[in-house]
Protein backbone atom coordinates (compact mmCIF):
# COMPACT_ATOMS: atom_id res chain seq x y z
CA UNK A 1 0.00 0.00 0.00
CA UNK A 2 1.51 3.29 -1.06
CA UNK A 3 0.91 6.61 0.64
CA UNK A 4 -0.34 9.79 -0.99
CA UNK A 5 2.58 11.75 -2.50
CA UNK A 6 3.62 14.44 -0.03
CA UNK A 7 3.65 17.09 -2.78
CA UNK A 8 -0.15 16.74 -3.00
CA UNK A 9 -0.80 17.82 0.57
CA UNK A 10 -1.52 21.44 -0.37
CA UNK A 11 -4.64 20.41 -2.32
CA UNK A 12 -7.99 19.48 -0.79
CA UNK A 13 -9.15 15.85 -0.82
CA UNK A 14 -12.70 15.96 -2.21
CA UNK A 15 -15.34 13.24 -2.21
CA UNK A 16 -17.05 13.10 -5.59
CA UNK A 17 -20.52 14.04 -4.36
CA UNK A 18 -19.03 17.46 -3.45
CA UNK A 19 -16.94 17.92 -6.58
CA UNK A 20 -19.28 20.63 -7.94
CA UNK A 21 -17.97 23.04 -5.30
CA UNK A 22 -14.46 22.88 -6.81
CA UNK A 23 -14.91 23.86 -10.46
CA UNK A 24 -11.64 25.15 -11.98
CA UNK A 25 -9.75 24.20 -8.82
CA UNK A 26 -7.01 21.66 -8.32
CA UNK A 27 -8.08 18.82 -6.02
CA UNK A 28 -7.23 15.29 -4.96
CA UNK A 29 -9.84 12.56 -5.57
CA UNK A 30 -9.56 8.96 -4.42
CA UNK A 31 -11.46 5.90 -5.54
CA UNK A 32 -11.59 2.72 -7.60
CA UNK A 33 -11.49 2.14 -11.35
CA UNK A 34 -14.81 1.17 -12.89
CA UNK A 35 -13.45 1.00 -16.42
CA UNK A 36 -10.94 2.51 -18.79
CA UNK A 37 -11.29 3.52 -22.41
CA UNK A 38 -8.68 4.99 -24.69
CA UNK A 39 -9.07 6.75 -27.97
CA UNK A 40 -5.67 7.32 -29.51
CA UNK A 41 -4.04 10.04 -27.49
CA UNK A 42 -6.73 10.31 -24.83
CA UNK A 43 -7.31 8.04 -21.84
CA UNK A 44 -10.69 8.06 -20.07
CA UNK A 45 -10.86 6.59 -16.57
CA UNK A 46 -14.17 6.09 -14.80
CA UNK A 47 -13.45 6.54 -11.11
CA UNK A 48 -16.04 5.72 -8.45
CA UNK A 49 -15.55 6.66 -4.83
CA UNK A 50 -18.76 5.37 -3.26
CA UNK A 51 -20.53 8.72 -3.46
CA UNK A 52 -20.50 9.16 -7.24
CA UNK A 53 -18.56 8.40 -10.43
CA UNK A 54 -16.43 10.83 -12.40
CA UNK A 55 -14.62 10.67 -15.70
CA UNK A 56 -10.91 11.44 -15.39
CA UNK A 57 -9.05 12.34 -18.59
CA UNK A 58 -5.38 12.16 -19.48
CA UNK A 59 -4.22 13.61 -22.79
CA UNK A 60 -0.92 12.46 -24.27
CA UNK A 61 1.45 15.38 -24.50
CA UNK A 62 -0.42 17.30 -21.80
CA UNK A 63 -0.20 14.89 -18.86
CA UNK A 64 3.37 13.78 -18.06
CA UNK A 65 4.42 10.66 -20.02
CA UNK A 66 5.02 8.78 -16.73
CA UNK A 67 1.42 9.47 -15.58
CA UNK A 68 0.05 8.25 -18.90
CA UNK A 69 2.04 5.04 -18.60
CA UNK A 70 0.97 4.36 -15.00
CA UNK A 71 -2.69 5.04 -15.77
CA UNK A 72 -2.59 2.47 -18.58
CA UNK A 73 -1.66 -0.28 -16.11
CA UNK A 74 -4.80 0.21 -14.02
CA UNK A 75 -7.18 -2.75 -13.92
CA UNK A 76 -10.86 -2.84 -12.87
CA UNK A 77 -11.33 -2.10 -9.15
CA UNK A 78 -7.72 -1.00 -8.59
CA UNK A 79 -7.64 1.80 -6.03
CA UNK A 80 -5.93 5.00 -7.06
CA UNK A 81 -5.84 8.74 -6.50
CA UNK A 82 -5.60 11.67 -8.83
CA UNK A 83 -4.37 15.22 -8.60
CA UNK A 84 -6.16 17.26 -11.21
CA UNK A 85 -8.43 20.16 -12.07
CA UNK A 86 -12.20 20.00 -12.11
CA UNK A 87 -14.26 21.06 -15.14
CA UNK A 88 -17.95 21.17 -15.76
CA UNK A 89 -18.99 18.59 -18.38
CA UNK A 90 -22.61 17.96 -19.25
CA UNK A 91 -21.80 14.62 -20.92
CA UNK A 92 -20.40 13.07 -17.75
CA UNK A 93 -22.69 11.17 -15.34
CA UNK A 94 -21.97 13.45 -12.38
CA UNK A 95 -21.81 16.64 -14.49
CA UNK A 96 -18.02 17.12 -14.05
CA UNK A 97 -14.75 15.85 -15.40
CA UNK A 98 -11.27 15.92 -13.96
CA UNK A 99 -8.13 16.58 -16.00
CA UNK A 100 -5.36 14.32 -14.68
CA UNK A 101 -2.11 16.07 -13.73
CA UNK A 102 -0.72 13.34 -11.53
CA UNK A 103 -1.92 9.84 -10.73
CA UNK A 104 -0.94 7.43 -8.02
CA UNK A 105 -1.94 3.77 -7.69
CA UNK A 106 -2.84 2.84 -4.10
CA UNK A 107 -3.39 -0.89 -4.58
CA UNK A 108 -3.87 -3.20 -7.54
CA UNK A 109 -6.71 -5.57 -8.38
CA UNK A 110 -6.06 -8.73 -10.34
CA UNK A 111 -8.82 -10.82 -11.95
CA UNK A 112 -11.83 -8.97 -10.53
CA UNK A 113 -14.57 -11.60 -10.89
CA UNK A 114 -17.44 -9.35 -11.96
CA UNK A 115 -17.02 -8.37 -15.59
CA UNK A 116 -19.26 -6.41 -17.96
CA UNK A 117 -20.68 -9.70 -19.30
CA UNK A 118 -23.99 -11.04 -17.91
CA UNK A 119 -23.63 -13.04 -14.70
CA UNK A 120 -26.24 -15.31 -13.10
CA UNK A 121 -27.80 -14.27 -9.79
CA UNK A 122 -26.29 -17.25 -7.95
CA UNK A 123 -22.81 -16.21 -8.95
CA UNK A 124 -23.47 -12.59 -8.06
CA UNK A 125 -24.83 -13.65 -4.66
CA UNK A 126 -21.64 -15.67 -4.06
CA UNK A 127 -19.66 -12.47 -4.60
CA UNK A 128 -22.21 -10.23 -2.88
CA UNK A 129 -19.35 -8.55 -0.96
CA UNK A 130 -18.09 -7.27 -4.35
CA UNK A 131 -21.44 -7.01 -6.16
CA UNK A 132 -22.48 -4.15 -3.82
CA UNK A 133 -19.90 -2.00 -5.67
CA UNK A 134 -22.09 -1.95 -8.79
CA UNK A 135 -24.33 0.91 -9.90
CA UNK A 136 -27.58 -1.00 -9.53
CA UNK A 137 -26.80 -2.27 -6.04
CA UNK A 138 -25.69 1.22 -5.05
CA UNK A 139 -29.06 2.55 -6.12
CA UNK A 140 -30.99 -0.08 -4.15
CA UNK A 141 -28.91 0.26 -0.99
CA UNK A 142 -29.01 4.05 -1.05
CA UNK A 143 -32.79 3.94 -1.39
CA UNK A 144 -32.90 1.45 1.49
CA UNK A 145 -30.93 3.88 3.65
CA UNK A 146 -33.28 6.72 2.68
CA UNK A 147 -36.33 4.61 3.54
CA UNK A 148 -34.94 3.73 6.96
CA UNK A 149 -33.91 7.33 7.63
CA UNK A 150 -37.33 8.67 6.60
CA UNK A 151 -39.17 6.17 8.77
CA UNK A 152 -37.21 7.25 11.84
CA UNK A 153 -37.62 10.90 10.85
CA UNK A 154 -41.40 10.59 10.60
CA UNK A 155 -41.76 8.67 13.86
CA UNK A 156 -39.38 10.97 15.76
CA UNK A 157 -41.32 14.02 14.54
CA UNK A 158 -44.69 12.54 15.44
CA UNK A 159 -44.34 11.80 19.11
CA UNK A 160 -42.72 8.35 18.99
CA UNK A 161 -39.74 7.41 21.13
CA UNK A 162 -37.29 4.80 19.88
CA UNK A 163 -37.07 2.05 22.50
CA UNK A 164 -35.41 -1.06 21.10
CA UNK A 165 -36.43 -4.61 21.94
CA UNK A 166 -33.95 -7.41 22.69
CA UNK A 167 -32.75 -9.83 20.01
CA UNK A 168 -32.13 -12.77 22.35
CA UNK A 169 -35.48 -13.72 23.85
CA UNK A 170 -36.89 -16.49 26.05
CA UNK A 171 -40.18 -16.96 24.13
CA UNK A 172 -41.99 -16.76 20.78
CA UNK A 173 -43.99 -13.85 19.38
CA UNK A 174 -45.07 -15.11 15.95
CA UNK A 175 -45.66 -18.83 16.40
CA UNK A 176 -43.21 -21.54 17.40
CA UNK A 177 -42.58 -23.07 13.97
CA UNK A 178 -40.05 -20.48 12.74
CA UNK A 179 -37.90 -20.01 15.85
CA UNK A 180 -34.11 -20.03 15.65
CA UNK A 181 -32.99 -21.64 18.86
CA UNK A 182 -29.65 -21.20 20.57
CA UNK A 183 -28.04 -22.39 23.80
CA UNK A 184 -28.08 -19.70 26.42
CA UNK A 185 -25.81 -20.92 29.22
CA UNK A 186 -27.97 -23.53 31.00
CA UNK A 187 -31.18 -22.73 29.18
CA UNK A 188 -32.48 -22.01 25.68
CA UNK A 189 -32.93 -18.69 23.95
CA UNK A 190 -34.44 -17.72 20.60
CA UNK A 191 -33.54 -15.05 18.09
CA UNK A 192 -36.43 -12.62 18.08
CA UNK A 193 -39.14 -12.97 15.41
CA UNK A 194 -40.58 -9.57 16.31
CA UNK A 195 -39.92 -6.93 18.97
CA UNK A 196 -43.64 -6.43 19.49
CA UNK A 197 -44.21 -7.92 22.95
CA UNK A 198 -41.45 -5.72 24.40
CA UNK A 199 -42.78 -2.84 22.29
CA UNK A 200 -46.08 -3.18 24.13
CA UNK A 201 -44.26 -2.95 27.47
CA UNK A 202 -42.39 0.13 26.19
CA UNK A 203 -45.68 1.70 25.02
CA UNK A 204 -47.13 1.28 28.53
CA UNK A 205 -44.04 3.13 29.77
CA UNK A 206 -43.75 5.88 27.12
CA UNK A 207 -47.09 6.03 25.23
CA UNK A 208 -45.85 5.90 21.62
CA UNK A 209 -42.71 3.97 20.82
CA UNK A 210 -40.99 2.06 18.06
CA UNK A 211 -38.28 -0.52 17.87
CA UNK A 212 -36.16 -0.90 14.75
CA UNK A 213 -33.85 -3.79 14.15
CA UNK A 214 -33.17 -7.18 12.65
CA UNK A 215 -35.64 -10.00 13.21
CA UNK A 216 -35.23 -13.69 12.45
CA UNK A 217 -37.43 -16.46 11.18
CA UNK A 218 -36.47 -19.99 10.25
CA UNK A 219 -38.73 -19.76 7.21
CA UNK A 220 -38.63 -22.86 5.09
CA UNK A 221 -39.92 -20.91 2.13
CA UNK A 222 -37.87 -20.10 -0.93
CA UNK A 223 -39.96 -17.24 -2.27
CA UNK A 224 -39.05 -13.81 -3.54
CA UNK A 225 -40.55 -12.34 -0.33
CA UNK A 226 -38.81 -14.37 2.38
CA UNK A 227 -35.53 -13.91 4.19
CA UNK A 228 -34.46 -15.61 7.41
CA UNK A 229 -32.97 -12.36 8.72
CA UNK A 230 -34.89 -9.21 7.87
CA UNK A 231 -35.32 -5.75 9.34
CA UNK A 232 -38.53 -4.52 10.84
CA UNK A 233 -39.72 -1.23 12.29
CA UNK A 234 -42.44 -1.78 14.87
CA UNK A 235 -44.40 1.21 16.16
CA UNK A 236 -46.66 0.57 19.16
CA UNK A 237 -49.22 3.09 20.39
CA UNK A 238 -51.14 3.29 23.69
CA UNK A 239 -54.73 4.58 23.53
CA UNK A 240 -55.00 3.78 19.81
CA UNK A 241 -57.52 1.53 18.05
CA UNK A 242 -57.33 -0.25 14.70
CA UNK A 243 -58.40 2.83 12.70
CA UNK A 244 -55.72 4.90 14.44
CA UNK A 245 -53.19 2.20 13.58
CA UNK A 246 -54.08 2.41 9.87
CA UNK A 247 -53.88 6.21 9.87
CA UNK A 248 -50.37 6.16 11.30
CA UNK A 249 -49.26 3.61 8.70
CA UNK A 250 -50.58 5.56 5.72
CA UNK A 251 -49.07 8.82 6.98
CA UNK A 252 -45.68 7.26 7.62
CA UNK A 253 -45.52 5.39 4.31
CA UNK A 254 -46.64 8.43 2.27
CA UNK A 255 -43.86 10.44 3.92
CA UNK A 256 -41.30 7.74 3.12
CA UNK A 257 -42.25 7.50 -0.57
CA UNK A 258 -42.27 11.31 -0.93
CA UNK A 259 -38.77 11.47 0.58
CA UNK A 260 -37.40 8.80 -1.73
CA UNK A 261 -38.81 10.72 -4.71
CA UNK A 262 -37.25 13.92 -3.39
CA UNK A 263 -33.81 12.64 -2.41
CA UNK A 264 -33.22 9.50 -4.51
CA UNK A 265 -34.63 10.27 -7.95
CA UNK A 266 -31.35 9.49 -9.82
CA UNK A 267 -31.22 6.09 -8.08
CA UNK A 268 -34.85 5.35 -9.03
CA UNK A 269 -33.95 6.23 -12.61
CA UNK A 270 -30.89 3.95 -12.53
CA UNK A 271 -33.31 1.16 -11.60
CA UNK A 272 -35.72 2.12 -14.39
CA UNK A 273 -38.49 2.61 -11.82
CA UNK A 274 -41.82 3.96 -13.12
CA UNK A 275 -41.92 7.19 -11.10
CA UNK A 276 -45.62 7.87 -11.76
CA UNK A 277 -46.51 4.72 -9.79
CA UNK A 278 -44.73 6.12 -6.72
CA UNK A 279 -46.18 9.61 -7.15
CA UNK A 280 -49.64 8.08 -6.63
CA UNK A 281 -48.74 6.88 -3.11
CA UNK A 282 -50.51 9.44 -0.95
CA UNK A 283 -52.68 8.98 2.16
CA UNK A 284 -55.41 7.92 2.64
CA UNK A 285 -55.08 4.31 1.47
CA UNK A 286 -58.15 2.20 0.61
CA UNK A 287 -59.51 -0.14 3.29
CA UNK A 288 -61.04 -3.51 2.53
CA UNK A 289 -62.46 -6.00 5.04
CA UNK A 290 -61.28 -9.61 4.85
CA UNK A 291 -64.87 -10.58 3.99
CA UNK A 292 -64.92 -8.18 1.04
CA UNK A 293 -61.47 -9.32 -0.06
CA UNK A 294 -62.74 -12.93 -0.15
CA UNK A 295 -65.75 -11.82 -2.23
CA UNK A 296 -63.42 -9.95 -4.55
CA UNK A 297 -61.22 -13.01 -5.06
CA UNK A 298 -64.30 -15.12 -5.83
CA UNK A 299 -65.51 -12.50 -8.30
CA UNK A 300 -62.17 -12.96 -10.08
CA UNK A 301 -62.84 -16.68 -10.35
CA UNK A 302 -60.72 -17.84 -7.37
CA UNK A 303 -62.12 -20.71 -5.34
CA UNK A 304 -61.28 -19.23 -1.93
CA UNK A 305 -62.50 -20.66 1.39
CA UNK A 306 -63.50 -18.16 4.13
CA UNK A 307 -61.17 -18.71 7.09
CA UNK A 308 -58.01 -19.40 5.10
CA UNK A 309 -55.10 -16.97 5.13
CA UNK A 310 -54.24 -15.31 1.83
CA UNK A 311 -51.29 -16.75 -0.01
CA UNK A 312 -48.91 -14.64 -2.10
CA UNK A 313 -50.98 -15.17 -5.32
CA UNK A 314 -54.17 -14.01 -3.53
CA UNK A 315 -52.41 -10.91 -2.18
CA UNK A 316 -51.14 -10.15 -5.66
CA UNK A 317 -54.66 -10.27 -7.11
CA UNK A 318 -56.09 -8.07 -4.33
CA UNK A 319 -53.23 -5.56 -4.50
CA UNK A 320 -53.45 -5.26 -8.28
CA UNK A 321 -56.95 -3.82 -7.92
CA UNK A 322 -55.49 -0.57 -6.57
CA UNK A 323 -52.81 1.97 -7.44
CA UNK A 324 -52.05 2.55 -3.73
CA UNK A 325 -51.31 0.11 -0.94
CA UNK A 326 -54.57 -1.41 0.36
CA UNK A 327 -55.41 -2.27 3.98
CA UNK A 328 -57.12 -5.61 4.52
CA UNK A 329 -58.60 -5.72 8.03
CA UNK A 330 -60.60 -8.05 10.28
CA UNK A 331 -59.07 -11.41 9.37
CA UNK A 332 -60.42 -14.56 11.01
CA UNK A 333 -58.80 -15.09 14.45
CA UNK A 334 -57.87 -18.61 13.36
CA UNK A 335 -55.28 -17.39 10.85
CA UNK A 336 -53.73 -14.67 13.04
CA UNK A 337 -51.50 -14.41 16.13
CA UNK A 338 -52.68 -15.06 19.70
CA UNK A 339 -52.50 -11.44 20.90
CA UNK A 340 -54.94 -9.87 18.41
CA UNK A 341 -58.17 -8.47 19.81
CA UNK A 342 -61.36 -10.25 18.69
CA UNK A 343 -64.01 -7.89 17.34
CA UNK A 344 -66.66 -7.42 20.07
CA UNK A 345 -69.94 -8.90 18.83
CA UNK A 346 -68.19 -10.86 16.09
CA UNK A 347 -65.61 -12.92 17.92
CA UNK A 348 -64.58 -15.06 14.95
CA UNK A 349 -62.69 -12.13 13.40
CA UNK A 350 -60.04 -9.91 15.00
CA UNK A 351 -58.92 -6.32 14.77
CA UNK A 352 -55.98 -7.16 12.56
CA UNK A 353 -54.71 -5.38 9.50
CA UNK A 354 -52.26 -6.21 6.74
CA UNK A 355 -51.12 -3.63 4.21
CA UNK A 356 -50.72 -5.00 0.68
CA UNK A 357 -48.46 -3.07 -1.69
CA UNK A 358 -49.52 -2.45 -5.28
CA UNK A 359 -47.96 -4.00 -8.42
CA UNK A 360 -48.08 -7.49 -6.96
CA UNK A 361 -45.65 -6.92 -4.07
CA UNK A 362 -48.07 -8.25 -1.44
CA UNK A 363 -47.95 -7.76 2.33
CA UNK A 364 -45.55 -5.11 3.60
CA UNK A 365 -46.99 -4.54 7.07
CA UNK A 366 -48.86 -6.64 9.61
CA UNK A 367 -50.50 -5.16 12.66
CA UNK A 368 -53.45 -5.21 15.03
CA UNK A 369 -55.19 -3.85 18.04
CA UNK A 370 -53.96 -6.00 20.94
CA UNK A 371 -56.02 -7.94 23.46
CA UNK A 372 -56.17 -5.65 26.51
CA UNK A 373 -58.17 -7.97 28.81
CA UNK A 374 -56.10 -10.10 31.22
CA UNK A 375 -58.37 -13.16 31.30
CA UNK A 376 -58.84 -13.35 27.55
CA UNK A 377 -55.12 -12.96 26.86
CA UNK A 378 -54.26 -15.65 29.40
CA UNK A 379 -56.80 -17.96 27.75
CA UNK A 380 -55.40 -17.28 24.27
CA UNK A 381 -51.87 -18.07 25.42
CA UNK A 382 -53.09 -21.42 26.80
CA UNK A 383 -55.21 -22.18 23.71
CA UNK A 384 -52.17 -21.62 21.51
CA UNK A 385 -50.17 -24.16 23.51
CA UNK A 386 -47.67 -21.52 24.67
CA UNK A 387 -45.97 -21.89 28.07
CA UNK A 388 -47.87 -19.56 30.42
CA UNK A 389 -44.86 -19.11 32.69
CA UNK A 390 -42.79 -17.48 29.95
CA UNK A 391 -45.54 -14.90 29.31
CA UNK A 392 -46.15 -13.78 32.90
CA UNK A 393 -44.18 -10.58 32.37
CA UNK A 394 -46.30 -9.88 29.25
CA UNK A 395 -49.50 -10.53 31.23
CA UNK A 396 -48.26 -7.94 33.77
CA UNK A 397 -49.03 -5.30 31.14
CA UNK A 398 -52.72 -6.29 31.52
CA UNK A 399 -52.45 -6.58 35.32
CA UNK A 400 -51.15 -3.08 35.88
CA UNK A 401 -53.13 -0.41 34.08
CA UNK A 402 -54.04 -2.10 30.80
CA UNK A 403 -55.20 0.25 28.01
CA UNK A 404 -56.45 -0.17 24.44
CA UNK A 405 -53.37 -0.21 22.22
CA UNK A 406 -52.28 -1.09 18.71
CA UNK A 407 -49.17 -1.50 16.65
CA UNK A 408 -47.72 -2.85 13.44
CA UNK A 409 -44.52 -4.12 11.89
CA UNK A 410 -43.23 -2.94 8.53
CA UNK A 411 -40.81 -5.24 6.75
CA UNK A 412 -37.95 -3.11 5.40
CA UNK A 413 -36.81 -5.41 2.59
CA UNK A 414 -40.30 -5.91 1.16
CA UNK A 415 -40.82 -2.15 1.28
CA UNK A 416 -37.46 -1.56 -0.42
CA UNK A 417 -38.25 -4.16 -3.10
CA UNK A 418 -41.60 -2.49 -3.81
CA UNK A 419 -40.30 1.10 -3.89
CA UNK A 420 -37.30 0.10 -6.03
CA UNK A 421 -39.47 -2.08 -8.26
CA UNK A 422 -37.07 -5.04 -7.94
CA UNK A 423 -38.04 -8.66 -8.27
CA UNK A 424 -36.63 -10.25 -5.10
CA UNK A 425 -36.02 -9.19 -1.49
CA UNK A 426 -32.50 -10.67 -1.57
CA UNK A 427 -31.25 -7.54 -3.38
CA UNK A 428 -32.97 -5.27 -0.84
CA UNK A 429 -30.55 -6.04 2.02
CA UNK A 430 -26.75 -5.72 1.90
CA UNK A 431 -25.95 -9.32 2.90
CA UNK A 432 -29.03 -11.53 2.49
CA UNK A 433 -29.70 -14.59 4.61
CA UNK A 434 -32.06 -17.16 3.16
CA UNK A 435 -32.78 -20.83 3.73
CA UNK A 436 -30.03 -21.71 1.28
CA UNK A 437 -27.54 -18.91 1.91
CA UNK A 438 -25.48 -17.71 4.85
CA UNK A 439 -22.40 -16.86 2.75
CA UNK A 440 -20.67 -14.44 2.36
O1 LIG B 1 -46.93 -9.89 9.76
P1 LIG B 1 -45.78 -10.11 10.68
O2 LIG B 1 -45.43 -11.51 11.01
O3 LIG B 1 -46.12 -9.27 11.99
C1 LIG B 1 -45.41 -9.26 13.14
O4 LIG B 1 -44.33 -9.78 13.33
C2 LIG B 1 -46.01 -8.39 14.22
N1 LIG B 1 -45.53 -8.87 15.52
C3 LIG B 1 -45.62 -6.97 13.96
C4 LIG B 1 -46.22 -6.00 14.96
O5 LIG B 1 -47.43 -5.90 15.02
N2 LIG B 1 -45.38 -5.32 15.70
O6 LIG B 1 -44.47 -9.42 10.07
C5 LIG B 1 -44.48 -8.03 9.80
C6 LIG B 1 -43.85 -7.75 8.45
C7 LIG B 1 -44.55 -8.40 7.27
O7 LIG B 1 -45.65 -7.64 6.85
C8 LIG B 1 -43.44 -8.43 6.24
O8 LIG B 1 -43.31 -7.16 5.61
C9 LIG B 1 -42.20 -8.66 7.08
O9 LIG B 1 -42.53 -8.27 8.40
N3 LIG B 1 -41.80 -10.06 7.07
C10 LIG B 1 -40.78 -10.56 6.35
N4 LIG B 1 -39.92 -9.98 5.48
C11 LIG B 1 -38.97 -10.75 4.90
N5 LIG B 1 -38.84 -12.06 5.14
C12 LIG B 1 -39.67 -12.69 6.01
N6 LIG B 1 -39.49 -13.98 6.26
C13 LIG B 1 -40.71 -11.94 6.65
N7 LIG B 1 -41.68 -12.22 7.53
C14 LIG B 1 -42.34 -11.08 7.78
MG1 LIG C 1 -48.12 -10.95 8.49
Amino acid sequence: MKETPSAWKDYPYVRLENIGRYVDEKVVVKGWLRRMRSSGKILFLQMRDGTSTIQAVAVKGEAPEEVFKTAKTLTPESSFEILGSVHRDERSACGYEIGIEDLHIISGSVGYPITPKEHGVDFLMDVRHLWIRSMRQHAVLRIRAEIMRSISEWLDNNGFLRVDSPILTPSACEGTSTLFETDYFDTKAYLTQSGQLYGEASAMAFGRVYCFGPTFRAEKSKTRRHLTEFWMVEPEMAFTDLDGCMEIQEQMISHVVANVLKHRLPELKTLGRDISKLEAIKAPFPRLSYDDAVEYLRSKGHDFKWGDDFGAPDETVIGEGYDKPVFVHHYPCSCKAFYMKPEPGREEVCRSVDLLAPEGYGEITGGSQRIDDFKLLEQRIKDNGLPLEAYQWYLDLRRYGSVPHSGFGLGIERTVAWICGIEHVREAIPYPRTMSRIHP
Side-chain angles (χ1 to χ4, degrees):
M1 192 79 44
K2 300 193 198 108
E3 290 187 6
T4 305
S6 55
W8 294 18
K9 73 176 183 325
D10 295 336
Y11 302 98
Y13 158 49
V14 179
R15 298 191 80 206
L16 294 177
E17 64 183 351
N18 301 322
I19 201 83
R21 297 183 206 153
Y22 296 85
V23 175
D24 297 331
E25 286 182 45
K26 213 173 186 187
V27 300
V28 176
V29 293
K30 302 169 190 252
W32 296 264
L33 184 76
R34 241 191 226 299
R35 57 183 161 268
M36 174 160 37
R37 185 164 62 83
S38 80
S39 93
K41 294 186 352 197
I42 316 181
L43 208 55
F44 299 97
L45 309 179
Q46 294 278 335
M47 175 196 264
R48 61 161 195 93
D49 80 341
T51 69
S52 190
T53 301
I54 198 167
Q55 176 155 280
V57 187
V59 182
K60 217 170 185 154
E62 287 177 23
E65 189 53 35
E66 204 42 45
V67 167
F68 210 82
K69 255 203 195 137
T70 311
K72 277 202 136 166
T73 69
L74 281 169
T75 50
E77 291 303 318
S78 299
S79 51
F80 66 113
E81 50 197 338
I82 292 170
L83 177 70
S85 27
V86 182
H87 310 292
R88 217 178 283 283
D89 186 342
E90 298 311 326
R91 291 162 303 176
S92 124
C94 72
Y96 303 93
E97 197 181 71
I98 188 161
I100 303 174
E101 293 180 21
D102 199 0
L103 181 147
H104 170 234
I105 296 178
I106 301 170
S107 192
S109 158
V110 182
Y112 188 68
I114 303 175
T115 61
K117 74 164 199 203
E118 284 273 316
H119 295 287
V121 174
D122 269 342
F123 170 77
L124 290 169
M125 277 296 166
D126 284 341
V127 292
R128 181 67 176 167
H129 53 295
L130 303 175
W131 191 22
I132 56 171
R133 300 181 184 194
S134 78
M135 297 278 267
R136 180 183 152 87
Q137 300 309 312
H138 263 214
V140 174
L141 295 178
R142 282 174 181 281
I143 291 170
R144 175 188 167 98
E146 179 62 23
I147 289 170
M148 293 170 92
R149 191 196 65 76
S150 301
I151 287 171
S152 300
E153 176 182 78
W154 190 87
L155 291 167
D156 293 343
N157 288 339
N158 283 276
F160 286 78
L161 183 72
R162 180 168 178 163
V163 183
D164 283 316
S165 295
I167 286 176
L168 286 168
T169 62
S171 47
C173 178
E174 295 298 323
T176 49
S177 64
T178 62
L179 282 173
F180 277 116
E181 187 180 294
T182 179
D183 286 334
Y184 194 73
F185 305 105
D186 294 331
T187 106
K188 295 219 173 308
Y190 309 98
L191 296 181
T192 188
Q193 299 164 305
S194 155
Q196 178 197 323
L197 305 188
Y198 296 90
E200 289 182 55
S202 306
M204 297 305 124
F206 297 98
R208 287 189 164 192
V209 298
Y210 67 103
C211 58
F212 202 160
T215 48
F216 306 86
R217 295 191 193 176
E219 303 266 14
K220 298 218 169 61
S221 21
K222 292 184 184 163
T223 77
R224 66 192 194 93
R225 297 179 185 177
H226 287 93
L227 296 164
T228 52
E229 178 177 313
F230 61 98
W231 282 62
M232 220 192 327
V233 62
E234 295 182 84
E236 191 73 31
M237 299 77 72
F239 310 109
T240 301
D241 63 10
L242 190 67
D243 279 329
C245 181
M246 290 192 253
E247 279 162 27
I248 286 166
Q249 296 189 43
E250 64 196 6
Q251 295 296 333
M252 185 182 95
I253 291 166
S254 303
H255 173 81
V256 168
V257 173
N259 259 338
V260 172
L261 284 166
K262 190 166 156 200
H263 301 302
R264 292 292 173 220
L265 201 55
E267 285 79 3
L268 290 170
K269 289 192 172 147
T270 296
L271 297 171
R273 185 68 170 109
D274 181 345
I275 305 298
S276 68
K277 293 251 189 327
L278 296 179
E279 284 167 343
I281 311 303
K282 295 200 173 100
F285 298 163
R287 290 153 166 67
L288 189 67
S289 70
Y290 171 89
D291 294 345
D292 288 343
V294 170
E295 279 313 309
Y296 179 75
L297 283 175
R298 287 177 182 161
S299 78
K300 294 272 163 191
H302 289 245
D303 181 22
F304 192 88
K305 192 165 118 261
W306 194 98
D308 285 351
D309 200 358
F310 299 130
D314 307 312
E315 288 181 359
T316 297
V317 172
I318 299 166
E320 277 171 355
Y322 302 87
D323 57 7
K324 293 185 194 186
V326 53
F327 288 115
V328 180
H329 56 86
H330 284 94
Y331 284 71
C333 297
S334 56
C335 60
K336 287 293 179 187
F338 74 93
Y339 51 72
M340 296 189 180
K341 184 182 175 72
E343 180 59 42
R346 211 191 147 199
E347 312 281 323
E348 75 280 16
V349 296
C350 58
R351 291 193 176 167
S352 59
V353 64
D354 280 6
L355 184 64
L356 311 183
E359 302 173 74
Y361 281 90
E363 178 193 337
I364 53 171
T365 79
S368 67
Q369 187 168 340
R370 321 305 190 189
I371 294 175
D372 43 43
D373 179 74
F374 176 87
K375 281 239 135 13
L376 179 59
L377 184 58
E378 187 182 46
Q379 192 56 48
R380 296 280 297 170
I381 292 171
K382 287 187 197 154
D383 292 348
N384 277 266
L386 296 167
L388 204 50
E389 200 38 49
Y391 292 85
Q392 285 305 331
W393 71 268
Y394 181 59
L395 283 163
D396 273 353
L397 308 176
R398 279 67 175 174
R399 281 190 185 100
Y400 306 117
S402 184
V403 303
H405 63 290
S406 302
F408 66 96
L410 174 137
I412 295 298
E413 291 73 20
R414 289 195 193 171
T415 305
V416 171
W418 160 52
I419 293 178
C420 289
I422 58 178
E423 180 66 19
H424 201 297
V425 289
R426 69 187 158 210
E427 277 185 69
I429 185 165
Y431 305 100
R433 299 289 175 250
T434 61
M435 196 181 162
S436 55
R437 178 171 297 282
I438 193 169
H439 171 92

